[in-house]
Amino acid sequence: HSATTPRRTREMHTLRIGDDQYNEIFTRSGIILIDWQPHTDTVAFSESYDAAYGKPTANATLMEQLEAVMHPQDAGRLHALFLQVKHGRPNADGIFRVTRIRDGVRTNAWRRFFVSSSLQSDGVVSHVFCISIDIDREQQEMEDIRKQAEIDQLTGLYNRGATERYIRAFVEREGHNGQHAL
């Protein structure tokens, strides 16, 4: 009998974490949950959003809320990701910049957004869910590594590969009618 008791106890044991515990975990880890209902264009955020950006604007649409916290060049791109999932793509993800204001100072930070849909029984998207994770430190470290790979440590100048890449990008960006000198 003693051999079956631990097994039955494990089978019957269920781990439940209350909303307060989830909110604490998300707030400490910087994870933000977003629930968008496309048919009414209403959006809800986890409490961890409040800790990072303050209370969301009441009755704001998804795009209005994204514009309030996203880098201006990235808000539309993230909105497009949500729309792709709304219109049939099962899930999508991307890396985008957010704008934070702390102590009156505006800074940009990087976040990864994982977007997925929830379907009704008739196949219509009822909710688009998003998990957003702070990856700013990782992005900064990758940028530092990239810079180290491009710059000669002795002279502090770009190495040959980086120089050629930047010149090629400049010439291509300016078009065929632009004037260039080196």
Side-chain angles (χ1 to χ4, degrees), residues 142-160:
M142 286 178 31
E143 180 65 17
D144 291 344
I145 291 169
R146 186 190 61 76
K147 285 180 182 176
Q148 288 175 4
E150 291 182 340
I151 295 177
D152 178 272
Q153 295 297 317
L154 183 62
T155 63
L157 300 174
Y158 286 118
N159 62 30
R160 179 181 172 162

Side-chain angles (χ1 to χ4, degrees), residues 17-88:
I17 300 176
D19 288 346
D20 291 339
Q21 290 166 315
Y22 277 122
N23 286 329
E24 181 71 20
I25 291 167
F26 293 148
T27 300
R28 287 185 182 203
S29 64
I31 296 172
I32 295 174
L33 303 177
I34 303 169
D35 175 3
W36 178 47
Q37 296 180 21
H39 57 283
T40 58
D41 199 12
T42 56
V43 62
F45 297 91
S46 60
E47 288 183 17
S48 52
Y49 178 94
D50 301 0
Y53 303 104
K55 292 277 186 202
T57 305
N59 302 319
T61 66
L62 175 65
M63 191 61 195
E64 290 168 342
Q65 200 60 52
L66 293 178
E67 287 176 342
V69 298
M70 300 295 298
H71 186 279
Q73 294 175 343
D74 289 354
R77 290 183 32 239
L78 179 57
H79 188 249
L81 204 69
F82 274 87
L83 291 176
Q84 288 174 7
V85 172
K86 173 191 172 190
H87 293 295

Side-chain angles (χ1 to χ4, degrees), residues 158 160 162-168 170-171 179-182:
Y158 286 118
R160 179 181 172 162
T163 301
E164 289 175 354
R165 194 169 47 254
Y166 285 124
I167 290 172
R168 194 175 314 110
F170 178 77
V171 170
Q179 296 180 350
H180 307 289
L182 179 64

